[in-house]
Amino acid sequence: MGIWVFAEEQDGAPLEGGLELLAKARTLGEVSVFYIGTASDSSFATLGDHGASTVYHLDTGDDLPAAPAAMAFADLLTQHGGDAVLFGPGNTDRDLAGRLAARLGKPLVAGALDIDMADGITVTTEILGGMKAVTTTVVGDGPALITTRPKAFVAEAVGGGVPSLVPVTMADAGASTATITERHVEASEGPDLEAAPVVVTGGRGLGSAEGFELVNELAGLLDGAVGGTRAVVDAGWVPYSYQVGQTGKTVKPSVYIACAVSGAMQHVVGMKGSSTIIAINKDPDAPIFALSDLGIVGDVHKVVPQLI
Amino acid sequence: MNIAVCVKQIPDPAAPYELDGENHWVVRPNDQVLDDTDRVGVEVGLQLAEASGGTVTLFSMGPSGSLQGIRQALAMGADKAVLIDDDALKGSDALTTARILTAAIEREGYDLVVAGMESTDGYTGAVPQMMSEMLDVPCLSFARKVDVADDGVTIERQTATGYEVVSAQMPALLAVTAGVFEPRYPTFKGIMQAKSKPVDTATAADLGVEPHTSQVVSGVSDVAAREAGDIVEDEGEAYLKIVELLEQVKVI
Ligand SMILES: Cc1cc2nc3c(=O)[nH]c(=O)nc-3n(C[C@H](O)[C@H](O)[C@H](O)COP(=O)(O)OP(=O)(O)OC[C@H]3O[C@@H](n4cnc5c(N)ncnc54)[C@H](O)[C@@H]3O)c2cc1C
Ligand SMILES: Nc1ncnc2c1ncn2[C@@H]1O[C@H](COP(=O)(O)O)[C@@H](O)[C@H]1O
């Protein structure tokens, strides 16, 4: 089987998402990576260590990557063939997968949690906020393009050697070109939300940006990361990078503490994989209690200060 | 400026969704609502149209039913709608949806296409990108802020760690996320006017698109739900329960 993985460079190393895909890809077949960014030898070595045998490298510079990358990637797939192409859940992954599917006229399966290629290509996804698991079989000729859910697979270095490296020439995307003129990182304090063993999330019920301070304090005491619901992100209390859920980050910490969070379906899909869930909500019927190991029916403004 | 906004009618997310026992597709009731994601798209379209004296045309593929969701978008202020409701399209894939919308939009003419990032019921999150490739226009995705000047458009594009400023020439496609855009509520006047706004229909054959299926559902099962644990009413000391559990899992 010929498997392709899309991976991207950030801050001098491959993004974790690409390495997670490699962990799955190498169980399915021979792995080539389509890699974009200003890469270095150490990035290529990391990709090899995670199971890549060939890396095709494209630097898209200040172009928004998807349009020129789709042109280059489509040519590579036409030339070398392949059975499946795996993408992560990131912005560029999704933009590229969509453009590439249209360019090649090939199927796109979105949101895979698992992929099986023993007999055709079968993909497992979850729908309806993770209440139903669905298996889908791809029909027709490959390559099948597959985007995956966050953290569907666990990255693992397997001690592979340095992959063979093939530089790819940047194409002119013509009328599809868009240019990145500025890049901003919104500072977040404390541990990385996606990796922290403890996450404390605040919801709209905290009342105000000042009220949200309680969450920051509790997280600080537990060496945890701070998360927010979309409601508090939209209210501007915390930046988008704090958002947990379907359109934000997916977290799987040992302990997840939800403070004044209702537990909407789109929030729950991003945190239901946590080992222990604790919720504080004044509404005894709040949906979050249905998946909590410990639920406190009470006022966050009373319970959390007592904890602190 | 001609602004094309892609909107989807979906079953009310407040009611539990049902899956058809045979083909496993979501059962679509006669009364569907405008997807919240697309409410944002309509708002962006309206703001840009108001600033430029342009028009907003809605494009929607799927069972039309009572048109409730489409009327909601027209009531917000969109000028007209083009609907593609064709039994031949049932069960077709995202690529077919993109081909249909692209053909319909090209037929009407456009300067800007606006779509949502991810529909609430389908969440393929790929139809807008597919359309941009088919139209050969830039895909300004994850847009949380939009500025249109003479011949160009500039957005703030949300990223995992912050945002980027991205510029492109028109025509272009914008795929928007919530954020700064607060969708307006329809006014009473808007609701009344929506009833007489033009709603055109087209079939796949009219648009020259061959419906296509690229995947079949081979099984659906319930995901084991987490079990609720202890629910404790706070009478002043419930915090001790939290401390106890945190000690038990060795966080403190
Ligand atoms: C397409 C789409 C994508 C989305 N993606 C996401 C996503 O990625 N992440 C996300 O989080 N949401 C997402 N949402 C939004 C989601 O549907 C909910 O609206 C959101 O999660 C609600 O946030 P919340 O729980 O903070 O607010 P609310 O639902 O308003 O809940 C506030 C809770 O606080 C409780 N409360 C109030 N006061 C107190 C008090 N003093 N003490 C204790 N409890 C109190 C209330 O009982 C209530 O349960 C998405 C929605 C759509 C349509
Ligand atoms: N059937 C459809 N009719 C109209 N617009 C659609 C349709 N499907 C997807 N879209 C547009 O594409 C966006 C993303 O949808 P999806 O790719 O299904 O997650 C939506 O928010 C709509 O703007």
Side-chain angles (χ1 to χ4, degrees):
Chain A
M1 291 283 163
I3 311 294
W4 291 78
V5 162
F6 170 67
E8 228 185 322
E9 169 112 350
Q10 188 177 294
D11 301 330
L15 276 172
E16 185 74 7
L19 303 181
E20 290 169 10
L21 294 178
L22 278 170
K24 182 68 199 182
R26 67 171 185 260
T27 68
L28 299 171
E30 172 89 2
V31 187
S32 303
V33 173
F34 181 69
Y35 192 62
I36 64 171
T38 49
S40 65
D41 287 348
S42 72
S43 312
F44 301 134
T46 306
L47 293 169
D49 196 17
H50 283 77
S53 32
T54 311
V55 176
Y56 295 85
H57 172 232
L58 174 70
D59 185 352
T60 50
D62 286 330
D63 270 25
L64 193 60
M71 296 173 76
F73 203 175
D75 287 348
L76 288 173
L77 288 166
T78 309
Q79 201 182 329
H80 301 284
D83 298 290
V85 187
L86 312 191
F87 296 88
N91 296 12
T92 307
D93 298 75
R94 284 170 49 180
D95 283 1
L96 177 56
R99 289 199 84 119
L100 191 59
R103 195 167 183 92
L104 296 169
K106 291 296 176 190
L108 174 73
V109 186
L113 283 164
D114 204 4
I115 302 160
D116 184 287
M117 291 180 57
D119 178 19
I121 303 180
T122 306
V123 174
T124 308
T125 55
E126 280 181 6
I127 56 165
L128 308 183
M131 276 152 47
K132 299 266 184 199
V134 178
T135 49
T136 329
T137 306
V138 182
V139 293
D141 294 338
L145 314 187
I146 302 168
T147 64
T148 56
R149 288 282 306 161
K151 298 209 169 103
F153 314 109
V154 180
E156 193 195 352
V158 285
V162 175
S164 44
L165 181 65
V166 184
V168 179
T169 316
M170 176 70 173
D172 178 357
S176 286
T177 304
T179 311
I180 303 171
T181 56
E182 294 170 32
R183 297 172 209 259
H184 298 266
V185 173
E186 286 168 338
S188 59
E189 289 155 27
D192 177 10
L193 179 57
E194 285 165 296
V198 177
V199 172
V200 185
T201 291
R204 188 177 359 229
L206 286 153
S208 64
E210 294 74 53
F212 199 89
E213 268 306 307
L214 277 179
V215 170
N216 292 333
E217 263 185 72
L218 181 58
L221 283 172
L222 299 171
D223 289 328
V226 176
T229 63
R230 176 149 130 191
V232 309
V233 172
D234 287 351
W237 301 350
V238 292
Y240 167 72
S241 54
Y242 286 61
Q243 184 174 312
V244 174
Q246 182 188 317
T247 45
K249 301 216 156 104
T250 296
V251 300
K252 294 185 174 174
S254 316
V255 177
Y256 189 87
I257 308 183
C259 305
V261 170
S262 62
M265 193 215 263
Q266 296 92 352
H267 180 76
V268 166
V269 290
M271 47 68 76
K272 72 187 171 83
S274 309
S275 311
T276 299
I277 298 174
I278 303 176
I280 308 166
N281 194 304
K282 68 175 183 189
D283 173 8
D285 297 325
I288 190 81
F289 287 136
L291 62 150
S292 299
D293 300 285
L294 173 62
I296 306 292
V297 182
D299 186 347
V300 272
H301 297 291
K302 294 209 182 95
V303 180
V304 179
Q306 285 174 315
L307 278 173
I308 295 171
Chain B
M1 193 159 67
N2 283 332
I3 301 169
V5 181
C6 300
V7 298
K8 220 170 147 177
Q9 299 193 105
I10 61 165
D12 189 344
Y17 277 36
E18 264 179 70
L19 298 184
D20 183 294
E22 243 166 66
N23 54 30
H24 309 298
W25 301 331
V26 171
V27 175
R28 304 204 169 261
N30 197 42
D31 281 339
Q32 297 196 85
V33 298
L34 178 61
D35 191 336
D36 269 342
T37 311
D38 294 335
R39 237 174 251 278
V40 176
V42 174
E43 178 62 36
V44 171
L46 290 171
Q47 287 184 17
L48 297 175
E50 282 157 8
S52 67
T55 57
V56 171
T57 307
L58 307 170
F59 292 84
S60 187
M61 177 189 128
S64 335
S66 67
L67 290 184
Q68 179 179 264
I70 300 297
R71 297 277 177 221
Q72 287 167 344
L74 290 170
M76 285 172 73
D79 298 285
K80 57 181 180 185
V82 176
L83 303 184
I84 305 91
D85 174 4
D86 186 339
D87 278 346
L89 290 164
K90 286 222 167 84
S92 59
D93 57 12
L95 215 43
T96 305
T97 305
R99 285 187 181 126
I100 289 281
L101 294 172
T102 300
I105 290 168
E106 278 186 316
R107 200 170 72 161
E108 296 286 315
Y110 70 99
D111 299 296
L112 261 185
V113 180
V114 183
M117 257 328 294
E118 177 163 275
S119 62
T120 302
D121 65 337
Y123 45 92
T124 323
V127 168
Q129 291 87 343
M130 290 173 171
M131 290 168 59
S132 359
E133 185 69 21
M134 293 168 184
L135 293 164
D136 191 12
V137 297
C139 179
L140 302 172
S141 53
F142 301 90
R144 62 172 199 190
K145 192 162 175 276
V146 180
D147 282 307
V148 173
D150 285 345
D151 62 341
V153 47
T154 299
I155 63 154
E156 267 184 32
R157 181 174 188 268
Q158 209 156 57
T159 64
T161 52
Y163 69 97
E164 298 164 342
V165 178
V166 179
S167 299
Q169 303 282 306
M170 302 241 263
L173 181 144
L174 293 168
V176 297
T177 70
V180 294
F181 310 109
E182 190 58 50
R184 67 193 65 187
Y185 286 103
T187 58
F188 183 65
K189 194 168 142 218
I191 295 169
M192 295 311 290
Q193 284 173 343
K195 294 188 175 133
S196 54
K197 285 184 175 168
V199 176
D200 295 342
T201 56
T203 62
D206 295 340
L207 297 169
V209 176
E210 189 78 41
H212 187 255
T213 303
S214 57
Q215 37 190 295
V216 286
V217 174
S218 40
V220 177
S221 58
D222 289 322
V223 174
R226 284 184 77 105
E227 299 217 359
D230 280 350
I231 310 288
V232 186
E233 188 90 36
D234 179 39
E235 282 165 358
E237 306 218 310
Y239 76 97
L240 292 172
K241 286 271 186 198
I242 300 181
V243 175
E244 200 179 296
L245 183 57
L246 291 177
E247 275 170 354
Q248 209 179 313
V249 295
K250 303 202 165 51
V251 164
I252 49 176

